Amino acid sequence: MNRAEHYAYRVRWSVEDESYVGTVAEFPSLSWVARTSSEAFEGIRGLAEDTVEDMVASGEEPPLPIGERSYSGKFQVRVPPELHRRLAIEAAEQNVSLNRLAAVRLATRP
């Protein structure tokens, strides 16, 4: 199995290119532009597969797919002191921890 099958692909419309653009999160420098979304997906997936094959052939370790990585559930975010204060007040008013408020906000982004 080629590891590229499990990578995180995205296809979006580009107004600038007037085409669909396929990308893969594990290789931010790769992209594929096509007239249809399915062509963009197939193009970026093929390019990622070729890239992984080239890396393996040259003795390099391809990136682990994001979906197969382990995460601790912790990360640190730096914000301006005034925003920290406003969020702490809001959390207190809602009777929840600042961590809970931030987690809910991140999970319910528009």
Side-chain angles (χ1 to χ4, degrees):
M1 179 218 36
N2 188 321
R3 182 179 286 182
E5 291 179 22
H6 295 172
Y7 284 155
Y9 297 98
R10 172 180 241 169
V11 174
R12 63 176 176 76
W13 175 254
S14 169
V15 173
E16 181 179 309
D17 296 318
E18 295 183 353
S19 298
Y20 289 91
V21 179
T23 57
V24 57
E26 291 81 357
F27 290 100
S29 63
L30 299 182
S31 65
W32 192 273
V33 178
R35 292 179 334 152
T36 68
S37 60
S38 58
E39 289 173 345
F41 175 74
E42 291 303 319
I44 192 60
R45 185 168 173 184
L47 182 58
E49 288 173 357
D50 292 347
T51 301
V52 167
E53 288 173 9
D54 289 346
M55 291 179 77
V56 169
S58 67
E60 294 179 71
E61 181 66 27
L64 190 63
I66 290 173
E68 296 175 12
R69 298 177 191 175
S70 296
Y71 293 91
S72 68
K74 298 177 187 178
F75 66 95
Q76 188 173 21
V77 178
R78 292 184 185 357
V79 296
E82 186 52 40
L83 176 58
H84 190 170
R85 180 183 330 311
R86 282 194 341 229
L87 292 171
I89 291 169
E90 185 176 339
E93 290 172 344
Q94 294 182 23
N95 198 31
V96 297
S97 68
L98 181 55
N99 184 75
R100 180 71 181 147
L101 178 73
V104 168
R105 289 270 181 92
L106 288 170
T108 58
R109 70 179 186 95

